[in-house]
């Protein structure tokens, strides 16, 4: 595979720029800055994402009956008089069979589909899909793809479908892979991507581009984009990566560059808000069944056998929840959102003793973020951060396994405990059939949006329909399991485990279930007024 090394000599490209302080656009030569970073340049913050003083202003359109469109930015918002071109899909044989292959510009997707008859229509997002006009001639497109953060099934599929979609749908031939995450932009490690290069990468786990965590020099990243003449940036990553993408978009806008930034949300534990689910989640739930099944076989084969399986879920217990429901062999599921306690009446140990008396064996699934408070109380550890700025979690699986052993030793009850941690086995596999189809839709939606001139957006299904979502919306909070919702009740009825909820914890969970308040905007004589609007917690 051909790579451009850091010693390669590149000619200075000609780049379309717009000075926001004037009304004319120019074609300018751009010089690449030295890799050395001055103290005045933006750097990685303490939380692992690029710091910025940007104050994002939502692009809000209000309609009748409480209709609100939270639109995504467009190149024409800050570069006037941009030429448009007919969409090449009009002449694409593959699309000739489709009766309607262009989306209507007024189409939108509602964030909430369950509403009261007299209530407002609520927040909507722009529907994803190809538009009749594009803002880039195919020959002028220079696209790049970067993958950031942890591994997730389906990453290679997204890369493949972006490359093949650009190549076969829009005739784009210049596509660059940025190696090693964000830092690859300024270290100049790149891979030219063609359909031949990516032909069978969807069958492999990981990412052919490599990845890394944490944010890096904002100015050096955008300098590289500007220097190379890249005008479409596709960023695959989670909420931290999207925070970086948002800052990159704002810096590109500030410089007046005709370049779009499109995000594809990645989170194996499904903690990205707004969208229905993240790619890789279905594969993770399916693969987790293997670990649960192994734990069940081990536990069932021995007297007082106990299988403990730790699954991914730092902030969200979604994988543990769905894997437990799918398995039906799990006796107890522990996640971060549902506090639990070990000793005393109604505690975990009491339930375990009862279940072992009844069945002679049991299986426990625990999410990696569960019980961290209990763990911190019983062990003295120094707070540590990883490269992305996230707290390094202690291994709750090993801790709870030892606690279980200690408890039954005190009771003089012989148990046979097996602990299984399939985390990296799950992360490293290729996407399953469902995720591969989903990754294709995400990639093609991102391509259509970028060609249509939309920028500063991410893509994903909202209530089943793919939409363009402002990047900042998927970084505001994290999607979590609501333990007072019916889905958690279904799990409790499946495992017959106690809720472990004290009255205080139950009240706090009920408070979390209440719709969050989102500020929307409507016009008044004096400008803009703020009105709260409830958001569905997906």
């Amino acid at each position: 595979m051909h790579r451009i090394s850091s010693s390669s000599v590149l000619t200075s490209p000609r780049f379309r720029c717009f000075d926001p302080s004037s009304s004319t656009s120019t074609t300018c030569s751009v010089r690449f800055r030295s890799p050395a970073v001055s103290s005045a340049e933006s750097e990685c913050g303490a939380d692992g994402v690029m710091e910025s003083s940007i104050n994002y202003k939502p692009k809000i359109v209000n309609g009748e009956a409480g209709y609100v469109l939270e639109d995504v930015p467009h190149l024409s918002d800050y570069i006037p008089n941009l030429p448009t071109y007919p969409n090449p899909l009009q002449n694409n044989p593959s699309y000739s069979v489709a009766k309607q292959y262009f989306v209507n510009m007024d189409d939108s997707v509602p964030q909430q589909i369950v509403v009261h008859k007299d209530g407002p229509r609520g927040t909507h997002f722009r529907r994803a899909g190809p538009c009749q006009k594009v803002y880039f001639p195919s020959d002028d497109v220079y696209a790049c793809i970067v993958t950031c953060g942890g591994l997730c099934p389906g990453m290679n599929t997204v890369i493949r479908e972006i490359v093949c979609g650009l190549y076969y749908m829009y005739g784009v031939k210049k596509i660059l892979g940025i190696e090693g995450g964000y830092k690859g932009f300024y270290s100049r490690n790149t891979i030219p991507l063609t359909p031949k290069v990516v032909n069978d990468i969807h069958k492999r786990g990981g990412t052919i581009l490599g990845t890394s965590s944490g944010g890096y020099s904002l100015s050096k990243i955008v300098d590289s984009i500007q220097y190379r003449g890249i005008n479409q940036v596709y960023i695959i990553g989670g909420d931290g990566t999207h925070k970086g993408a948002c800052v990159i978009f704002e810096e590109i806008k500030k410089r007046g560059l005709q370049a779009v930034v499109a995000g594809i949300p990645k989170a194996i534990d499904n903690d990205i808000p707004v969208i229905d689910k993240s790619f890789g989640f279905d594969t993770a739930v399916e693969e987790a069944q293997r670990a649960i099944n192994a734990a069940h076989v081990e536990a069932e084969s021995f007297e007082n056998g106990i299988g403990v399986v730790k699954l991914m879920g730092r902030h969200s217990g979604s994988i543990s929840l769905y894997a437990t429901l799918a398995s039906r062999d799990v006796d107890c599921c522990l996640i971060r959102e549902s506090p639990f306690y070990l000793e005393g009446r109604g505690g975990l140990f009491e339930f375990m003793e009862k279940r072992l008396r009844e069945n002679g064996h049991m299986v426990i699934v625990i999410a990696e973020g569960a019980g961290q408070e209990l763990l911190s109380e019983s062990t003295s550890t120094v707070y540590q951060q990883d490269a992305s700025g996230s707290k390094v979690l202690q291994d709750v699986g090993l801790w709870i396994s030892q606690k279980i052993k200690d408890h039954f030793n005190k009771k003089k009850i012989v148990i046979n405990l097996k602990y299984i941690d399939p985390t990296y086995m799950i992360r490293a596999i290729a996407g399953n059939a469902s995720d591969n189809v989903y990754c294709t839709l995400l990639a093609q939606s991102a391509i259509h949006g970028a060609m249509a001139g939309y920028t500063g957006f991410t893509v994903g299904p909202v209530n089943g329909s793919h939409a363009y979502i402002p990047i900042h919306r998927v970084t505001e909070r994290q999607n979590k399991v609501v333990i007072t919702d019916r889905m958690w009740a279904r799990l409790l009825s499946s495992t017959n485990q106690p809720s472990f909820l004290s009255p205080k914890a139950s009240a706090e969970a009920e408070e979390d279930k209440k719709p969050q308040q989102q500020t929307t905007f409507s016009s008044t004589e004096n400008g803009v007024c703020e009105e709260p609007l409830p958001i569905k917690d997906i």
Side-chain angles (χ1 to χ4, degrees):
M1 224 178 268
H2 177 65
R3 288 174 170 78
I4 301 176
S5 68
S6 58
S7 60
S8 298
V9 178
L10 300 176
T11 57
S12 298
R14 307 290 289 178
F15 203 101
R16 182 180 174 87
C17 306
F18 175 71
D19 182 358
S21 62
S22 70
S23 59
T24 58
S25 60
T26 60
T27 303
C28 53
S29 295
V30 180
R31 287 191 175 276
F32 187 71
R33 293 187 184 179
S34 168
V37 185
S38 68
S39 59
E41 290 180 327
S42 301
E43 288 292 348
C44 173
D47 62 350
V49 296
M50 285 169 280
E51 293 182 335
S52 173
S53 58
I54 293 166
N55 183 19
Y56 182 83
K57 296 180 180 179
K59 187 176 176 183
I60 302 295
V61 178
N62 290 283
E64 296 180 355
Y67 173 91
V68 178
L69 173 64
E70 191 163 349
D71 208 354
V72 295
H74 193 273
L75 288 175
S76 60
D77 294 341
Y78 64 95
I79 304 179
N81 305 319
L82 282 173
T84 59
Y85 309 90
N87 194 317
L89 289 179
Q90 294 180 84
N91 303 315
N92 190 311
S94 299
Y95 275 76
S96 62
V97 297
K99 292 182 179 179
Q100 182 181 354
Y101 41 81
F102 295 134
V103 297
N104 191 300
M105 294 301 291
D106 292 327
D107 287 351
S108 60
V109 178
Q111 184 175 7
Q112 282 187 294
I113 55 173
V114 179
V115 297
H116 296 291
K117 63 177 183 177
D118 298 325
R121 294 175 63 188
T123 300
H124 292 64
F125 299 106
R126 182 170 291 280
R127 182 187 176 195
C131 298
Q132 284 188 311
K133 299 293 183 182
V134 297
Y135 281 74
F136 297 95
S138 299
D139 292 340
D140 290 353
V141 174
Y142 191 12
C144 75
I145 307 170
V146 62
T147 53
C148 305
L151 296 183
C152 177
M155 293 176 77
N156 276 334
T157 306
V158 176
I159 296 169
R160 181 189 189 279
E161 296 310 314
I162 292 175
V163 173
C164 292
L166 283 169
Y167 196 96
Y168 292 122
M169 291 193 300
Y170 287 96
V172 173
K173 302 297 191 291
K174 294 178 289 184
I175 309 167
L176 198 64
I178 306 297
E179 284 191 312
Y182 278 137
K183 65 182 179 182
F185 277 104
Y186 52 83
S187 61
R188 298 192 184 187
N189 296 324
T190 60
I191 306 173
L193 298 176
T194 64
K196 185 176 181 179
V197 171
V198 302
N199 181 51
D200 62 352
I201 64 171
H202 62 291
K203 301 174 184 176
R204 295 183 242 160
T207 163
I208 63 164
L209 299 179
T211 185
S212 61
S213 297
Y216 301 89
S217 171
L218 169 63
S219 58
K220 287 166 67 177
I221 290 172
V222 181
D223 282 348
S224 176
I225 292 170
Q226 187 172 355
Y227 170 75
R228 296 175 188 274
I230 293 170
N231 50 22
Q232 290 188 10
V233 183
Y234 296 92
I235 300 175
I236 306 167
D239 58 346
T241 300
H242 275 69
K243 289 176 183 176
C246 192
V247 178
I248 291 170
F249 153 68
E250 292 288 356
E251 179 64 19
I252 286 175
K253 178 181 176 182
K254 180 181 176 182
R255 297 191 189 188
L257 305 179
Q258 187 181 349
V260 300
V261 176
I264 295 93
K266 167 196 69 69
I268 194 170
D269 48 5
N270 203 36
D271 62 356
I272 299 290
V274 183
I275 64 174
D276 296 345
K277 66 177 179 180
S278 308
F279 76 81
F281 176 69
D282 281 354
T283 304
V285 171
E286 182 177 304
E287 191 67 15
Q289 302 302 299
R290 298 177 184 271
I292 294 173
N293 184 59
H296 182 252
V297 170
E298 286 284 351
E300 197 177 33
S301 300
F302 293 88
E303 183 180 359
N304 289 336
I306 300 174
V308 177
V309 180
K310 187 185 78 171
L311 297 177
M312 292 154 292
R314 170 181 289 268
H315 301 290
S316 171
S318 293
I319 292 179
S320 298
L321 165 62
Y322 280 83
T324 295
L325 281 172
S327 169
R328 302 292 176 176
D329 287 331
V330 178
D331 297 277
C332 186
C333 177
L334 304 172
I335 60 175
R336 178 170 185 167
E337 296 90 334
S338 179
F340 65 93
Y341 53 98
L342 302 179
E343 309 279 357
R345 186 173 182 178
L348 176 63
F349 291 156
E350 182 186 73
F351 171 69
M352 291 184 67
E353 291 174 16
K354 178 176 179 290
R355 187 53 58 93
L356 287 176
R357 285 194 301 268
E358 294 172 347
N359 298 341
H361 65 275
M362 73 176 299
V363 175
I364 298 173
V365 167
I366 185 166
E368 62 178 322
Q372 290 295 318
E373 298 81 7
L374 295 176
L375 203 158
S376 299
E377 291 173 3
S378 61
T379 59
S380 56
T381 55
V382 179
Y383 179 86
Q384 293 179 314
Q385 288 183 328
D386 60 19
S388 67
S390 301
K391 179 184 177 182
V392 176
L393 298 180
Q394 301 176 68
D395 193 328
V396 70
L398 285 175
W399 172 81
I400 201 167
S401 296
Q402 189 58 51
K403 283 290 185 181
I404 292 170
K405 290 177 182 178
D406 293 343
H407 171 77
F408 284 100
N409 281 339
K410 288 178 184 178
K411 294 267 187 175
K412 299 189 183 305
I413 299 175
V414 177
I415 63 169
N416 193 301
L417 188 146
K418 299 295 192 299
Y419 171 53
I420 299 175
D421 180 0
T423 298
Y424 294 104
M425 295 175 63
I426 294 175
R427 283 168 33 128
I429 65 173
N432 63 10
S434 172
D435 270 321
N436 277 341
V437 173
Y438 182 33
C439 290
T440 300
L441 298 178
L442 289 173
Q444 292 188 2
S445 292
I447 292 169
H448 294 318
M451 292 298 295
Y454 295 112
T455 182
F457 70 90
T458 193
V459 297
V462 179
N463 296 313
S465 297
H466 282 248
Y468 297 134
I469 305 159
I471 287 181
H472 79 98
R473 283 300 306 275
V474 299
T475 63
E476 290 176 332
R477 60 182 180 89
Q478 288 170 319
N479 193 34
K480 298 182 180 181
V481 175
V482 180
I483 60 171
T484 56
D485 204 358
R486 281 180 291 179
M487 201 64 182
W488 185 247
R490 293 183 183 109
L491 179 138
L492 296 180
S493 67
S494 170
T495 62
N496 291 314
Q497 71 186 68
S499 67
F500 301 116
L501 278 182
S502 64
K504 179 182 177 182
S506 182
E508 291 175 352
E510 193 64 35
E511 189 67 25
D512 290 340
K513 189 178 178 182
K514 292 180 180 178
Q516 298 188 21
Q517 296 293 311
Q518 175 204 355
T519 300
T520 59
F521 303 85
S522 58
S523 301
T524 65
E525 293 181 359
N526 298 324
V528 173
C529 73
E530 299 182 356
E531 298 177 349
L533 185 69
I535 295 180
K536 172 189 175 186
D537 189 4
I538 298 174

